[in-house]
Amino acid sequence: MDKKALLRKVPIFSGISAKDLNAIAKTMTLKKYVKGAYLFFEKEEGKTLYVIIHGLIKIFTADKSGRIKTLTYLKDGDFFGEMAMLDHEKRSASALVVEDAEVFALNRKDVQKELLDNPLIALKLLRTLSSRLRYCDKQIEDLTFRNLPGRVASTLLDLAARYGKKTPAGIKLDLKLTHQDLADIIGTAREVITSILGDFREAGCVLDIDKHLIIKDEKSLRSWIT
């Protein structure tokens, strides 16, 4: 398998020289994970950065009772595990494979060397971290100022921006999320999500096709955000 060809598809490594790309490829280990596998758990030591070649990974936290708060879903080209690798603290969340995945794994020493040797990679990493921080700010804003229908609508629009595909019926979320999955993202009960989605359907905002949620009327859905 040509590691360099795979790396060229990863945004954080795009635009760097062939020589640098070759050096990075030599430090990486390709790993395969099946659906349901864990890459790491919250509170573990973290010395590895992961880059997704293909697949879907859920990043989440859980309390002692087993309640889950999903922080994000990551797909092809995304990276994760950078926090514990950079600050030498323990993992702040767990990583679960939602769809069979192939990832590149890089150890802390090699990543730190590449960041020092390749300012472009460091800059792209900082941009991604900044984007994730903005997303966290938005979640805090939603939690503080939005009612539950507004939070659900805001979350669906965020998911559409990241995973949406235009279809004749509307914007299809290219994720098969159950009502419990949405509840874990928003931080509420499954029954609440079921009730709110029912209201959205009656209002003509969303519909379901083949277990995928489709935003039929984006403007109408956005009107729920108050």
Side-chain angles (χ1 to χ4, degrees):
M1 182 175 293
D2 188 347
K3 289 184 179 180
K4 289 189 292 183
L6 293 175
L7 283 176
R8 288 192 184 97
K9 299 178 182 179
V10 177
I12 193 174
F13 298 120
S14 64
I16 67 173
S17 69
K19 179 181 178 180
D20 289 337
L21 197 66
N22 186 59
I24 295 170
K26 290 180 179 178
T27 68
M28 290 183 162
T29 302
L30 183 64
K31 297 187 176 184
K32 298 182 180 182
Y33 295 90
V34 298
K35 178 180 178 179
Y38 285 85
L39 283 85
F40 54 76
F41 293 94
E42 188 176 356
K43 304 301 183 184
E44 285 184 348
E45 295 292 333
K47 298 180 180 180
T48 306
L49 172 74
Y50 297 92
V51 180
I52 303 172
I53 302 305
H54 73 78
L56 187 67
I57 309 294
K58 179 170 77 171
I59 307 297
F60 70 96
T61 61
D63 65 13
K64 293 181 179 179
S65 69
R67 291 184 304 175
I68 288 174
K69 173 63 174 77
T70 299
L71 303 176
T72 191
Y73 285 90
L74 299 175
K75 58 179 181 176
D76 303 6
D78 288 330
F79 63 84
F80 61 99
E82 74 286 345
M83 290 175 60
M85 184 206 63
L86 291 172
D87 65 14
H88 294 233
E89 298 291 336
K90 294 183 178 180
R91 297 288 190 190
S92 61
S94 301
L96 172 68
V97 179
V98 179
E99 295 177 2
D100 291 357
E102 285 189 329
V103 304
F104 278 134
L106 298 88
N107 66 48
R108 176 183 290 150
K109 180 180 178 181
D110 290 329
V111 172
Q112 290 178 343
K113 180 180 183 302
E114 293 305 328
L115 292 178
L116 291 172
D117 292 345
N118 293 281
L120 181 59
I121 294 177
L123 180 60
K124 289 184 176 183
L125 184 144
L126 287 173
R127 284 175 176 167
T128 301
L129 295 181
S130 178
S131 176
R132 291 177 180 177
L133 181 58
R134 287 181 183 276
Y135 177 70
C136 290
D137 288 344
K138 186 178 182 303
Q139 286 192 315
I140 293 171
E141 179 184 354
D142 284 350
L143 184 62
T144 305
F145 301 115
R146 312 293 185 208
N147 58 22
L148 271 168
R151 286 163 57 191
V152 176
S154 179
T155 297
L156 293 179
L157 291 168
D158 286 342
L159 291 171
R162 183 164 173 77
Y163 307 104
K165 291 185 177 181
K166 291 185 178 181
T167 72
I171 303 174
K172 174 184 175 182
L173 299 188
D174 200 25
L175 289 173
K176 289 186 177 180
L177 297 177
T178 66
H179 289 186
Q180 185 61 58
D181 291 331
L182 284 172
D184 291 343
I185 294 173
I186 295 164
T188 189
R190 177 186 58 80
E191 294 81 5
V192 173
I193 297 298
T194 299
S195 175
I196 292 172
L197 288 179
D199 293 338
F200 289 174
R201 290 189 191 92
E202 288 185 11
C205 301
V206 303
L207 53 87
D208 295 291
I209 297 179
D210 296 330
K211 297 183 179 180
H212 285 276
L213 195 66
I214 293 179
I215 297 176
K216 183 179 179 182
D217 188 336
E218 184 177 353
K219 183 177 180 180
S220 177
L221 182 60
R222 198 174 296 278
S223 71
W224 289 81
I225 303 175
T226 57

